[in-house]
Amino acid sequence: MFQCIIQQKSNVWVGNRHEMKEVFPDLRLQLQEQLKCFDSRVETQVILTNELQDYFRKKSEIELEYSRNLDKLSKSLVLRQKELKQRRDQLHLFSLYNCWQELINETKKESQEHGVLAEIYNSHVTMRLSMVMDDLQRIYKQCREIGIDSHEELLKVLHELHTSTKTFHLYQTEHKQTETKLKIVESQKKKLELIIPKEKIEKSKKIRLVDKEIQKRRNKYTDARFKALKAKNEYILCMDAANAAVQKYFVDDLSDLIDCMDLGFYQCISRAFNMYISSQEYIKNSITANMSTLSKYITGLDSRLDKQKFLEANNSVFIMPKKFEFQSLKGDEVDLLDSMPVSELETVGFIRQELEQRLIQLHRRLNTLRIEADESWKTLETAETSLLQLLTVNDYNAQEYFVESSHRHSTKPEYLVTTQRLRAETDEFHLSKFRDYMLGTNRIARLQGKYEHIRKVLGEIDPNNLSPGLAQTLAEPRKLIRRKRIGQIQNIRNPRLFGGSLEEYIEITNQDIPIVLKSCIRVINLYGLHHQGIFRVSGSQIEINNFKDSFERGEDPLIDINDASDINSIAGVLKLYLRELREPLFPIVYFEQFMELAQLESKHLFVLKIRDLITSLPRSVYIVLRYLFAFLNHLSEYSDENMMDPYNIAICFGPTLVPVPEDKDQVQYQNLVNELIKNVIVYMEDIFSNDDDYGGIRYEKYISKEPDEVDVDTPGENPHDDLETEMLCPSEDGKTDSR
């Protein structure tokens, strides 16, 4: 049943040429493993859905035979569950798995049969689940093809990087050879000048022949040097493009692809379950408590949480690979002629003019692409809204079937067939727009790297030496773009504070800093900076739970706090909030990179690299990190009194902010995590400097005792108008350059 969705196009992206197979084999293997993980994931979803379908079908039959057959069913399901646990280690990663377990427990307690229940189970619920499986396989097949297309695009960029690397090394070698030959001829001339008398040098044929040879060699050397410099620039730009494309794919595309796979999956499952609950509510005798529990599990169906668990469980496959670094020839770390590092773009003479022209063309192309991308996103958002309207319709109320006998004879409700047809049509449109959106932003991301590098290099030149068009381009401020998320429309509701997503909470509430974080830090700033053992001494669990419940209701229980009597409990609430975040503040996808930074001995290098990594995070996460670490830095200033120096603070916050993946050595990596957090605390002011573009609330050491009435962020742009933009030059995206 499942094989049909993984047959076609399975090897298209790996390429047919032997040359392509040798380009970055580790990354190619990682992409192949991702497809296998996706196949396993959707297979597990199908298995879970199929198990639910089998459950309802069998229960509809056993309901007619009362308690004895229900007991047999419960035993068979328990055995099947044990078998699946042994074969499928990813079942627990889905919140749907909890629903399945609850159904098994509930079946053990049921002892009565009702004819209408059997009809509803057999005629409606199982049909819905069958449609869910069909939709799941159909959508996954197309999403898999989209993923393969993304792999092809990514590998094309990597092949360009590979080709530019070989070209650069070839021209650089030729450059060295011509330079050596030129020096040999020049040395020969010097020897002749020593042998031939001075009065005969001008008339000497040998001298004239050597001069001609020198001129010939010098021309060849000049041509070779020009080719080498141009090849070097192209290599560096291709490297930046590859890094940007890889980061875009691993940070954004993988997440969006999983969201697209899951879009509407739980809504359909919930509709089937809610119909089941509606039928059971008519017979409330002994099953009321069981239905309440099951309803809780259904409410807990969360595709974003499942996605996070899935990525964490397969951390080695989905973790961000290391950035590509410039590979120079051996002994070629500095240009022999210009004494410049070879890893920097050349800006001499005609090379600089070419870069200036290229930057302007990139900028013009960007303006066009931003308009196109904005329209593409609006269309995708509209399609998503239409799709979710179909998926969230309230059509699962089954109580009417107990009263109106006419419905009992309908085995295949026509409205379900109609909805299914509309769903398929809307899915096709939505997936086509999603394909355009993903591939378009991929192209944007990889060329963003080229644009930023050229802009940075040219921005260091004296403004008086710049052309008016280039100066205007460099003077335009950079825009901070809020990321668009697939499926975000369905999450517009009361966001979860504890155990939820920081980005979703801030986006929905329009706050810069969550209320629990800001309120706890305010009280600790006023009454706890001198408290010995703050964050290390545990507070009252009852008080912590009470504070948590109040914050979750949108209240601020700390508004009337005027002393340090509950300071340990308040510190405990702050740590609990950070610990229960669905995605940690330091994303797991960057774990390996964070661990490498923790081992750096150079302060300057650590600050540069950690700043580069943190600024790549979403704006909401960046502002919270800046606020939190400014507070922790302030707290460490009183270490003589509170006994919490940066390292002690890092011990308390390290496991919360940077959790170590389960497949890593916990002891070894925990020491690196502590070192990382300690360094961020110590060098906080250097790391979070020159970030006026981010705006947002900043931590103040001297906080007023009166809490703010309202903490609302007024962003510079409407978040729905933001878009993952790209920078693109016609000659860079495979189109014909009109220059």
Side-chain angles (χ1 to χ4, degrees), residues 127 129-140 420:
M127 182 178 178
L129 294 175
S130 177
M131 292 179 177
V132 169
M133 286 189 291
D134 293 341
D135 292 336
L136 183 64
Q137 296 179 52
R138 173 173 51 80
I139 293 175
Y140 174 69
Q420 176 73 1

Side-chain angles (χ1 to χ4, degrees), residues 92-319:
H92 68 282
L93 300 179
F94 293 89
S95 50
L96 179 58
Y97 179 66
N98 296 328
C99 297
W100 182 39
Q101 284 187 315
E102 176 57 27
L103 287 174
I104 296 175
N105 296 332
E106 175 190 313
T107 306
K108 296 178 181 179
K109 300 178 182 179
E110 290 190 10
S111 61
Q112 298 181 355
E113 177 274 337
H114 197 288
V116 178
L117 286 177
E119 181 181 349
I120 292 175
Y121 295 162
N122 189 53
S123 300
H124 299 277
V125 177
T126 55
M127 182 178 178
R128 290 171 183 267
L129 294 175
S130 177
M131 292 179 177
V132 169
M133 286 189 291
D134 293 341
D135 292 336
L136 183 64
Q137 296 179 52
R138 173 173 51 80
I139 293 175
Y140 174 69
K141 181 179 179 181
Q142 298 183 54
C143 286
R144 194 177 192 273
E145 292 177 355
I146 294 175
I148 292 175
D149 291 340
S150 298
H151 290 180
E152 291 178 345
E153 292 293 323
L154 182 59
L155 290 175
K156 287 179 182 177
V157 177
L158 297 181
H159 185 260
E160 292 176 0
L161 173 61
H162 180 70
T163 303
S164 63
T165 304
K166 294 196 300 184
T167 303
F168 165 66
H169 289 170
L170 176 64
Y171 284 146
Q172 189 70 1
T173 301
E174 183 180 350
H175 170 225
K176 298 293 183 182
Q177 292 175 351
T178 56
E179 183 181 21
T180 302
K181 292 180 180 179
L182 176 61
K183 290 181 179 179
I184 291 174
V185 176
E186 289 176 345
S187 64
Q188 291 176 353
K189 180 180 179 181
K190 292 180 180 179
K191 291 180 181 180
L192 290 175
E193 289 175 348
L194 294 176
I195 296 174
I196 300 174
K198 294 182 178 180
E199 60 276 5
K200 296 182 178 181
I201 287 179
E202 295 180 357
K203 300 180 179 180
S204 174
K205 292 183 178 180
K206 291 183 179 181
I207 293 295
R208 288 198 298 270
L209 291 175
V210 170
D211 287 338
K212 290 181 179 179
E213 185 65 18
I214 289 175
Q215 184 62 35
K216 178 181 178 182
R217 295 296 181 184
R218 182 172 288 111
N219 292 338
K220 290 184 178 180
Y221 167 76
T222 302
D223 293 340
R225 181 172 181 268
F226 171 78
K227 292 179 181 179
L229 292 177
K230 190 172 182 180
K232 173 187 170 183
N233 284 353
E234 187 63 28
Y235 171 37
I236 294 175
L237 294 177
C238 288
M239 180 181 64
D240 289 338
N243 285 327
V246 170
Q247 178 169 348
K248 171 65 169 54
Y249 172 77
F250 278 85
V251 174
D252 296 337
D253 293 351
L254 284 175
S255 176
D256 289 340
L257 194 60
I258 296 174
D259 288 338
C260 190
M261 293 177 191
D262 292 340
L263 185 62
F265 174 62
Y266 283 140
Q267 282 75 11
C268 296
I269 292 291
S270 297
R271 286 158 62 192
F273 272 114
N274 284 323
M275 189 170 192
Y276 167 70
I277 292 176
S278 177
S279 63
Q280 288 288 358
E281 285 177 349
Y282 197 82
I283 308 173
K284 289 187 177 180
N285 298 327
S286 61
I287 62 174
T288 302
N290 295 332
M291 291 297 98
S292 176
T293 304
L294 182 59
S295 181
K296 177 181 177 182
Y297 282 125
I298 294 173
T299 305
L301 291 175
D302 189 342
S303 60
R304 295 283 173 83
L305 179 60
D306 288 356
K307 177 181 69 176
Q308 185 67 20
K309 291 181 179 179
F310 172 72
L311 295 176
E312 291 178 1
N314 299 278
N315 177 65
S316 60
V317 176
F318 293 101
I319 197 168

Side-chain angles (χ1 to χ4, degrees), residues 504-541:
E504 291 179 4
Y505 180 87
I506 290 178
E507 182 177 355
I508 295 173
T509 62
N510 213 22
Q511 298 177 3
D512 269 343
I513 307 296
I515 182 175
V516 58
L517 193 67
K518 189 173 184 181
S519 183
C520 290
I521 289 178
R522 181 186 69 84
V523 175
I524 296 174
N525 174 283
L526 293 173
Y527 309 109
L529 293 178
H530 305 275
H531 186 77
Q532 184 172 344
I534 185 72
F535 290 114
R536 191 167 54 187
V537 179
S538 301
S540 169
Q541 191 60 44

